[in-house]
Amino acid sequence: DLYRKVFVFRKDPSDAFVLLEARLEQPLQNFTVCLRSYTDLSRPHSLFSYATKAQDNEILLFKPKPTEYRFYVGGKFVTFRVPEGHGDWEHVCAGWESATGVAEFWLNGKPWPRKGLQRGYTVGVEAAVMLGQDQDTFGGGFDLYNSFSGELSDVYLWDAVLSPDKMRAAYLSLRLPPAPLAWRSLSYRVKGDVVVKARLRE
């Protein structure tokens, strides 16, 4: 149970990552991914990378610059422009629905205007899921200058789009529905220079 804990990615740039095991039975028609990050990086960096053998950017949360998040599904992406952070934790949730192709993006409990992405697509299930690197091949192919440096916490992947109430609950660290990939019951392997520490402040 990683409650009130964080992964500290100590080096910049870095070849380190955390490999996650998601308990997914079938391909995803809908999903929500949420996480909290704390970094002073201004260069591009990857937060959450879910790759299949067919598609390296099956699901990707990527921050090309301090005022932008990119959300990829099946190799295509939409961009959400955000105010530059004030050197604090940022909580993001990204949700996607195949039937409508609607992509949602929430930053610190607040929804951004929804966008269209990959309507009718299905996310494959035999996946390598990792934090801190952008996979350019299945389980590898890293560009160190897209690596994450800083602290990551509260990582979740649901096989549904969360309701607005639950999106806000994720931001507030309240009780959440069971997830195939959940911070409180995370199955993970650390590769390289990443340390698990207590969170410095709530």
Side-chain angles (χ1 to χ4, degrees), residues 7 9 33 41 74 79 102 130-131 148 161 177 187:
F7 290 126
F9 293 77
V33 58
L41 290 177
T79 298
V102 167
M130 64 179 64
L131 306 174
F148 178 79
V161 177
S187 189

Side-chain angles (χ1 to χ4, degrees), residues 53-103:
K53 291 193 166 89
Q55 175 52 256
D56 57 342
N57 293 336
E58 193 71 281
I59 303 172
L60 175 65
L61 266 180
F62 191 79
K63 202 169 183 193
K65 53 187 177 193
T67 55
E68 222 171 78
Y69 279 92
R70 276 187 199 166
F71 175 34
Y72 287 76
V73 176
K76 304 263 190 333
F77 70 89
V78 285
T79 298
F80 295 93
R81 285 171 189 81
V82 299
E84 190 155 350
H86 303 295
D88 212 339
W89 282 92
E90 286 189 3
H91 184 267
V92 294
C93 286
W96 174 80
E97 184 177 75
S98 174
T100 58
V102 167

Side-chain angles (χ1 to χ4, degrees), residues 88-197:
D88 212 339
W89 282 92
E90 286 189 3
H91 184 267
V92 294
C93 286
W96 174 80
E97 184 177 75
S98 174
T100 58
V102 167
E104 289 187 19
F105 181 82
W106 294 67
L107 176 66
N108 295 335
K110 180 182 165 233
W112 254 234
R114 287 173 277 199
K115 302 198 172 186
L117 181 64
Q118 290 285 54
R119 188 175 187 163
Y121 187 78
T122 300
V123 171
V125 78
E126 294 275 313
V129 186
M130 64 179 64
L131 306 174
Q133 297 286 352
D134 171 16
Q135 303 175 71
D136 287 330
T137 57
F138 183 74
F142 308 142
D143 172 349
L144 298 193
Y145 289 95
N146 286 336
S147 65
F148 178 79
S149 163
E151 306 191 11
L152 284 179
S153 184
D154 294 344
V155 181
Y156 287 87
L157 174 69
W158 286 272
D159 50 3
V161 177
L162 293 192
S163 68
D165 284 357
K166 293 282 186 277
M167 290 284 197
R168 281 187 282 271
Y171 168 57
L172 297 167
S173 295
L174 303 177
R175 267 193 71 169
L176 294 166
L181 201 158
W183 190 245
R184 301 291 302 266
S185 59
L186 205 62
S187 189
Y188 68 92
R189 290 206 301 280
V190 168
K191 303 283 187 182
D193 198 343
V194 183
V195 186
V196 176
K197 298 289 284 180

